[in-house]
Amino acid sequence: MPTVELIGQGMEGAVYDLGDGRVSKTWFDRRPDDVRPLKAFLDELPPLPFRTPRIGEIGQQNGQAVTVEDKLTGTPLQDLPEDQALDVFVGVVEALGQTTPGPASKALPVLNQPFWYDDLSWGEALAALVRRRAAESQPHLHGFEDLIEHVTAQLRTIEPDKLSVVHGDICPPNLLMDGPRAAALLDWGFYSTAGDNTFEAALAAGFFDMYGPEARRLDDLLLDRFEQLGHDRHRMYLYRAAYAITTATIYDENAGDGHYVWCVDNLKRLADRL
Ligand SMILES: Nc1ncnc2c1ncn2[C@@H]1O[C@H](COP(=O)(O)OP(=O)(O)O)[C@@H](O)[C@H]1O
Ligand SMILES: [Mg+2]
């Protein structure tokens, strides 16, 4: 009889290793119908140079969704030397930039809200999300009103050359490695959509090291790398600001967590660059 072990507990659910090559996720706040768009999105993902999760059965326990996936294996990115880890990280973002998103990516909610509606353009949809989340986060974004106004006005006008599949949360804990190459990218859905790959780059640069003593150096280094690859620097700043505004209070509506502090720090830092 395989033993079941808790291997991850995040904001959205608890992940258990079922001991038979599969994992299950018990969702805290989602019913089976709320998980179906994510399953459709994962089913639709195009081939990538690393594995991605697939949701099998969707069950339920007391009305809450319980999903089962194949266990994806690998070692943490942290085990690699820094220059190799950065190369892998950039490579994952660029691989997603080669994709073409399908209809399920536009049907997926972003931050649990409808995103692609009313024929909005990418920039308009993101600007609208920024507006809604800024309103939902008052009074914790007090003092940033002008910045938010400025950011939404500029976002609305962005017309990317192409849309790609956006993961939206490319960070070391969500990457599994096989030696020096990426083996799997986990944890889709929070900010996943069809969008601008430069948005992915702007977020990922900030996520490589969010809270360590080297965070700022690594963030700048990755932004430089992405800029050299053709991503517009100013647009990356706009996207980072959009992320900071939209997620400032996403994990704690009372703004009492480290994520909020990170977002506000980013906004202060970006204020004179935007
Ligand atoms: N399909 C999977 N295969 C192997 N490990 C997984 C899988 N899904 C999740 N995990 C593990 O559980 C952790 C948390 O799951 P994740 O999907 O990242 O949710 P969250 O970060 O929102 O809690 C992951 O970092 C990983 O260690
Ligand atoms: Mg995760």
Side-chain angles (χ1 to χ4, degrees), residues 39-56:
K39 175 174 165 48
F41 169 79
L42 293 171
D43 286 343
E44 174 190 89
L45 280 178
L48 285 160
F50 40 79
R51 295 181 70 192
T52 54
R54 294 288 293 270
I55 292 174

Side-chain angles (χ1 to χ4, degrees), residues 21-264:
R22 299 179 306 158
V23 301
S24 79
K25 190 162 187 169
T26 307
W27 297 79
F28 299 138
D29 217 16
R30 291 211 203 182
R31 293 154 296 157
D33 280 350
D34 303 328
V35 182
R36 284 184 225 290
L38 178 61
K39 175 174 165 48
F41 169 79
L42 293 171
D43 286 343
E44 174 190 89
L45 280 178
L48 285 160
F50 40 79
R51 295 181 70 192
T52 54
R54 294 288 293 270
I55 292 174
E57 305 148 42
I58 304 180
Q60 59 111 11
Q61 213 170 39
N62 306 320
Q64 299 313 110
V66 180
T67 53
V68 176
E69 312 174 356
D70 284 342
K71 182 177 181 182
L72 302 175
T73 51
T75 53
L77 184 66
Q78 286 91 324
D79 295 354
L80 280 189
E82 181 183 289
D83 54 338
Q84 283 185 41
L86 291 169
D87 284 349
V88 170
F89 212 67
V90 169
V92 169
V93 172
E94 294 304 288
L96 285 170
Q98 302 301 310
T99 56
T100 303
S105 62
K106 286 197 169 184
L108 208 54
V110 173
L111 304 180
N112 290 320
Q113 304 191 12
F115 183 79
W116 281 103
Y117 57 85
D118 285 355
D119 286 324
L120 296 183
S121 69
W122 154 253
E124 289 168 340
L126 188 57
L129 180 66
V130 168
R131 278 199 177 286
R132 293 194 302 275
R133 286 294 308 151
E136 286 169 11
S137 294
Q138 286 304 351
H140 304 296
L141 292 175
H142 184 60
F144 292 112
E145 289 81 358
D146 291 348
L147 180 70
I148 292 166
E149 199 54 48
H150 184 62
V151 166
T152 49
Q154 291 188 67
L155 285 174
R156 266 198 293 272
T157 66
I158 295 180
E159 301 271 359
D161 295 338
K162 72 175 283 257
L163 295 180
S164 311
V165 174
V166 166
H167 178 284
D169 196 12
I170 298 179
C171 58
N174 290 337
L175 260 182
L176 297 176
M177 301 296 301
D178 174 10
R181 57 166 217 99
L185 178 59
L186 306 173
D187 205 1
W188 298 74
F190 174 67
Y191 225 125
S192 303
T193 189
D196 185 354
N197 184 243
T198 297
F199 179 78
E200 190 90 87
L203 273 47
F207 297 162
F208 183 81
D209 178 355
M210 283 181 92
Y211 299 109
E214 300 286 308
R216 193 55 200 281
R217 176 180 68 82
L218 292 161
D219 187 346
D220 289 340
L221 215 143
L222 279 164
L223 289 173
D224 288 346
R225 293 272 305 257
F226 287 125
E227 191 176 13
Q228 282 155 18
L229 287 165
H231 297 283
D232 181 82
R233 187 94 178 187
H234 184 256
R235 193 183 286 189
M236 288 195 282
Y237 290 155
L238 273 179
Y239 286 151
R240 179 70 66 80
Y243 178 83
I245 296 162
T246 52
T247 68
T249 63
I250 203 83
Y251 301 119
D252 179 0
E253 62 184 39
N254 298 313
D257 60 357
H259 186 82
Y260 170 77
V261 174
W262 185 92
C263 290
V264 166

